[in-house]
Amino acid sequence: MQEDTRTGKEASLNFQMATVVCPAFSLVIPVYNEEKSITAALNNLRSILELADCDYEIIVVNDGSTDTTGDLLCSYIDIRVIEHSRNRGYGAALKTGIRQAKYPIIAITDADGTYPNEHIPELVALTADADMVVGARIGSKVHYSNLRKIPKWFLVRFAEWITMRSIPDLNSGLRVFRKSVVEEFLNILPDSFSFTTTITVAMLTNHYVVHYVPINYHHRVGKSKIKPFQDTLRFVQLILRTGVYFAPLRVFLPVAGLFFSGFLITLYQDIFIRRDLTERTLILFVAATQLGMFALLADMIDKRNGRN
């Protein structure tokens, strides 16, 4: 009975894949010490993409692995393998693959078995009407630790405030985008795991079309390389930096508003209670004015550069 069910699912997947027509694309996979999952992941990807009605290439960037990952990759003659002599980071590996890609559409995924890669042809096909298509981990079967859910919730709310857009998944590692669009931001994209977070904020604040497709998310094979506390602080820093770069009014005006509110409160106290104009009131007024003017100047420079 289980064999019949599995056969039925495979037949359904084959039919769905056969009906998906997508443009040519390059699939970039960053890899670092994935000896436990890389063989199964690549074999699965090849079997999936062989059913897709399009041209494609698979680029694996071995980011300075110290285990047997590099040796395992040598056995694949139909996959482009790019070597980093040392570990430079998830984002750095992606940027290397993007620069080397020969097709105008780029897909990225991980090699740890967490993402349902059978959705890749579907996501690629949807780029006909979008600049980036993201596999949002909001499906019925999503598995990751509760420890990551708490900071993730605050990060998403902060990013939504910056971008003024709803973001179902801020840093999904399964996504497809146009190479020409991402190349505009390569100089500001980080070399760390924050690559996906930053490209999301950058594209949304620049009014590119981003489409989200619900997907599942499985348990990881092997040990995660994400450090919850350090990486959460890094994500906040990068979202703030990206917000300052692309949406300065959304970052600075609320702070200026806080200073101005403090000025009004202390001014009321000076007039009706102290009967004297204090230095605190003047400092708050000057700080609010300077921040407001700085925000307007930064926004003017941003618009003159043609990013909005």
Side-chain angles (χ1 to χ4, degrees), residues 18 46 48 63 69 82 167 173 201 216 243 265 273:
R46 289 197 303 178
I48 289 171
D63 191 32
T69 298
I82 302 173
I167 304 177
V201 175
N216 296 323
I265 293 172
I273 300 176

Side-chain angles (χ1 to χ4, degrees), residues 176-247:
V176 182
F177 39 74
R178 299 182 186 277
K179 181 179 180 180
S180 59
V181 173
V182 174
E183 284 178 331
E184 297 179 20
F185 307 116
L186 280 183
N187 63 322
I188 68 162
L189 294 176
D191 290 342
S192 63
F193 282 104
S194 306
F195 178 98
T196 48
T197 299
T198 307
I199 192 60
T200 299
V201 175
M203 293 190 73
L204 289 177
T205 53
N206 282 274
H207 311 297
Y208 284 104
V209 178
V210 179
H211 183 66
Y212 292 90
V213 176
I215 62 169
N216 296 323
Y217 187 70
H218 310 301
H219 286 293
R220 173 184 165 80
V221 177
K223 183 179 179 181
S224 175
K225 302 171 186 65
I226 293 179
K227 301 175 182 179
F229 181 74
Q230 295 95 320
D231 286 328
T232 297
L233 292 179
R234 189 178 296 114
F235 289 158
V236 171
Q237 177 189 12
L238 284 165
I239 291 173
L240 184 60
R241 188 186 72 176
T242 308
V244 170
Y245 192 78
F246 291 116

Side-chain angles (χ1 to χ4, degrees), residues 254-274 276-291:
V255 181
L258 287 175
F259 278 106
F260 190 74
S261 298
F263 159 72
L264 292 177
I265 293 172
T266 59
L267 180 63
Y268 176 86
Q269 294 173 341
D270 287 349
I271 295 174
F272 295 102
I273 300 176
R274 302 186 186 93
D276 183 29
L277 186 62
T278 62
E279 293 180 352
R280 178 175 56 181
T281 301
L282 293 175
I283 290 173
L284 287 171
F285 177 73
V286 171
T289 303
Q290 288 183 335
L291 273 174

Side-chain angles (χ1 to χ4, degrees), residues 46-75:
R46 289 197 303 178
S47 63
I48 289 171
L49 297 182
E50 284 174 358
L51 299 174
D53 185 19
C54 62
D55 294 326
Y56 67 90
E57 65 171 345
I58 300 177
I59 301 174
V60 177
V61 182
N62 184 21
D63 191 32
S65 296
T66 56
D67 59 5
T68 62
T69 298
D71 297 330
L72 294 172
L73 290 173
C74 290
S75 62

Side-chain angles (χ1 to χ4, degrees), residues 148-168:
R148 292 173 58 186
K149 290 181 181 179
I150 299 173
K152 188 180 181 70
W153 187 89
F154 287 100
L155 282 173
V156 171
R157 301 290 87 76
F158 182 41
E160 287 179 337
W161 163 256
I162 295 293
T163 62
M164 296 184 291
R165 294 279 299 277
S166 174
I167 304 177

